[in-house]
Amino acid sequence: MKHLIDCAMGREKSELVIKNVRIFNVFTGETEEGDVAILEGRIVGIGSYEGEQVFDGGGKYLLPSFLESHIHVESSMLIPEEFARLSVPHGTGAIVADPHEIVNVCGIAGAEYIKEAFTRCGAPLDVFLQLPSCVPATPFETSGASIGGKETEEELSRPLFFGLGEMMNFPGVLGGDEEVMRKLQAAAKAGKPVDGHAPDVRGKALNAYRAAGVLTDHESLTAEECLEKIRRGMYVQIRAGSSANNIDDCVKLVNAYNFRRFLLCSDDRNAADLEKGHMDGILARLVAAGVPAAYAVPMATLNVAQCYGIPDVGAVAPRYFADLVLVDDLISFRVTSVFKRGKLVAREGKVLFGSTSRYLPDEMLGTVHIAPLPADAFRMETASGRVRAIRMQPHSLYTEEVLCDLPKGEICVGGSPLCKLAIVERHFATGRIGLGLVLDYGLKGGAIGISVA
């Protein structure tokens, strides 16, 4: 402690001093010129300092590293080691990760794998793992594992899990479902946060959802719904993912009174998009849409830390960890250098960490088990000439039911805007198949097969 104070006072040299930078202050929205002194991975002072090592920031803006408030790592289609190699050069210093997909396939072993893979590769990325709350995702599907209230109580007592993942079963919350109540009570007893997933939950239903302890939501359908959730004390996550985003709705609301209640997240981000950008790209989109940088930057830094109670991250200030990024400007947010605990870990898009070794336990392999499919497995018929279809909406996960006219008899979708959809049970080779029709998917010919639904 004395050494820290001596360095802060300037009586001793710090280990590292970053000079010639414009420091962005998330507490006031100001920028100030000066040096940042770092000792043992923490910031000890801002002002004029000397260090054993000096890094010239080249007049660029110095920000706290970015915090991703909600993401499913496996949706990137990357192993954790490669996720880190793509995200860290874009300034990502920490993620709140919900391993919903892999746990629905592999159970708790899937979550343990995600955390262990990040740890073994030495990724300079803090991973706050949420225990998935919906395994299976709905009562109507077959999953590779099942996590009930008893298992939730046991798992939330472990340090592996930082909180309870998005509570998609909001009908279960509102209806007082016994198993759901047990999961929420387990999170409350453990003092761990609960993420939300509540499209179109408003009025008294929203009161109940919030009273149950749910902290965040990234699924609002309108600006009015976002505002209502903020009024009820929730954090609204502005989502800019590969499949869905609500930026256009949220930017209309952001002002000096409420910007502290917004967080940034990508939810699902595929590898191609992650290579182009992560939180840096979302920040650029917000500013381009008219949100001042003074409001936008805290949404990817301090707000996330305060929402989840993560100490000593999210700001460039004494005592905070030296998790820092240098960007060209507060418009493009192009990241040039990334520091983790005061160590340079990426520069000009190139990582300065990691190895070629990979951790992949046997439990993660060979998880797709499908029964033999007969030639007519996907055959569909209509006796009336009218069929129900699922209509997709651009940049949204929200869908609606529509009725379409087709010739009676066997359904052939060629030449129409419809596509056939088949859900094949892939865990236990039961041979069960669910069939339906999708409108406006955009596929004109051929077929797509995926193992993530």
Side-chain angles (χ1 to χ4, degrees):
M1 182 65 70
K2 185 177 185 303
H3 186 34
L4 181 150
I5 292 171
D6 285 340
C7 289
M9 291 294 294
R11 291 189 289 258
E12 296 182 17
K13 286 186 176 182
S14 298
E15 291 175 352
L16 172 68
V17 173
I18 301 176
K19 290 181 173 288
N20 189 21
V21 289
R22 288 180 277 186
I23 304 158
F24 184 89
N25 192 308
V26 294
F27 301 113
T28 66
E30 300 170 297
T31 58
E32 55 184 312
E33 295 185 5
D35 305 335
V36 176
I38 297 167
L39 177 69
E40 296 180 358
R42 290 183 184 267
I43 298 168
V44 295
I46 295 171
S48 178
Y49 287 95
E50 298 300 323
E52 301 293 343
Q53 298 181 49
V54 174
F55 185 94
D56 185 350
K60 298 183 186 299
Y61 288 87
L62 186 70
L63 312 179
S65 62
F66 306 133
L67 312 180
E68 160 71 79
S69 70
H70 174 70
I71 194 169
H72 306 282
V73 170
E74 58 272 42
S75 292
S76 69
M77 309 301 167
L78 298 169
I79 58 176
E81 295 91 334
E82 292 305 316
F83 178 92
R85 289 179 66 85
L86 287 190
S87 63
V88 170
H90 288 289
T92 305
I95 58 174
V96 178
D98 182 349
H100 170 86
E101 283 79 12
I102 199 168
V103 170
N104 263 278
V105 175
C106 300
I108 296 299
E112 292 172 334
Y113 156 67
I114 294 285
K115 191 62 179 279
E116 185 67 15
F118 276 121
T119 302
R120 289 195 181 204
C121 75
L125 185 69
D126 295 326
V127 180
F128 299 96
L129 216 59
Q130 304 285 69
L131 173 66
S133 65
C134 297
V135 183
T138 76
F140 310 109
E141 73 176 72
T142 303
S143 61
S146 179
I147 299 177
K150 182 176 182 296
E151 293 82 5
T152 299
E153 291 171 347
E154 294 170 351
E155 295 300 333
L156 285 182
S157 68
R158 301 174 62 189
L160 173 65
F161 292 110
F162 173 76
L164 186 63
E166 56 181 308
M167 182 50 71
M168 298 187 294
N169 188 6
F170 60 85
V173 176
L174 305 181
D177 177 85
E178 184 177 346
E179 284 293 289
V180 173
M181 295 300 101
R182 195 169 178 180
K183 293 176 182 180
L184 291 170
Q185 288 166 353
K189 183 178 179 181
K192 295 185 174 181
V194 181
D195 273 330
H197 175 119
D200 205 29
V201 173
R202 306 185 66 174
K204 289 184 177 179
L206 179 59
N207 291 337
Y209 195 65
R210 180 69 187 100
V214 180
L215 188 61
T216 66
D217 182 69
H218 58 274
E219 294 287 353
S220 297
L221 304 178
T222 64
E224 291 75 16
E225 184 181 343
C226 290
L227 182 58
E228 185 176 352
K229 286 173 177 173
I230 289 175
R231 285 171 175 162
R232 297 298 173 263
M234 297 183 77
Y235 284 88
V236 166
Q237 290 158 317
I238 299 178
R239 175 172 62 185
S242 294
S243 300
N245 72 75
N246 61 353
I247 285 182
D248 291 341
D249 287 329
C250 288
V251 294
K252 305 171 187 174
L253 300 174
V254 178
N255 59 45
Y257 299 100
N258 65 23
F259 76 92
R260 290 289 187 195
R261 306 304 293 185
F262 286 99
L263 314 177
L264 302 187
C265 80
S266 51
D267 195 4
D268 299 298
R269 198 164 191 85
N270 63 43
D273 289 342
L274 189 61
E275 188 174 32
K276 298 172 189 173
H278 194 190
M279 310 310 291
D280 52 344
I282 304 177
L283 282 169
R285 288 183 64 182
L286 280 183
V287 172
V291 177
Y295 301 170
V297 173
M299 297 178 192
T301 56
L302 184 64
N303 293 9
V304 183
Q306 291 181 336
C307 169
Y308 290 107
I310 305 172
D312 300 338
V313 296
V316 183
R319 187 66 186 177
Y320 281 73
F321 286 118
D323 298 350
L324 305 166
V325 299
L326 280 169
V327 300
D328 282 341
D329 52 56
L330 300 180
I331 299 174
S332 70
F333 291 92
R334 191 185 80 86
V335 176
T336 60
S337 299
V338 183
F339 295 85
K340 188 67 174 178
R341 303 298 194 264
K343 305 295 184 184
L344 185 65
V345 295
R347 194 165 193 181
E348 294 294 345
K350 305 297 183 183
V351 297
L352 305 176
F353 65 89
S355 66
T356 57
S357 63
R358 295 291 180 264
Y359 171 66
L360 194 59
D362 291 342
E363 301 97 304
M364 302 301 108
L365 304 175
T367 63
V368 179
H369 307 286
I370 297 175
L373 293 174
D376 62 351
F378 305 133
R379 191 172 187 272
M380 300 174 67
E381 292 187 349
T382 172
S384 66
R386 301 207 82 192
V387 296
R388 300 165 68 210
I390 303 166
R391 172 182 279 164
M392 300 181 62
Q393 296 187 4
H395 311 299
S396 174
L397 303 184
Y398 190 71
T399 60
E400 60 180 325
E401 178 189 9
V402 294
L403 295 175
C404 300
D405 293 321
L406 287 176
K408 293 181 181 180
E410 183 176 357
I411 294 175
C412 296
V413 298
S416 79
L418 291 167
C419 291
K420 281 186 178 179
L421 173 69
I423 306 294
V424 179
E425 194 283 307
R426 47 73 45 104
H427 299 289
F428 306 109
T430 62
R432 290 196 295 269
I433 300 176
L435 297 173
L437 295 168
V438 179
L439 183 63
D440 295 337
Y441 186 78
L443 186 66
K444 301 300 183 184
I448 295 174
I450 61 174
S451 63
V452 176

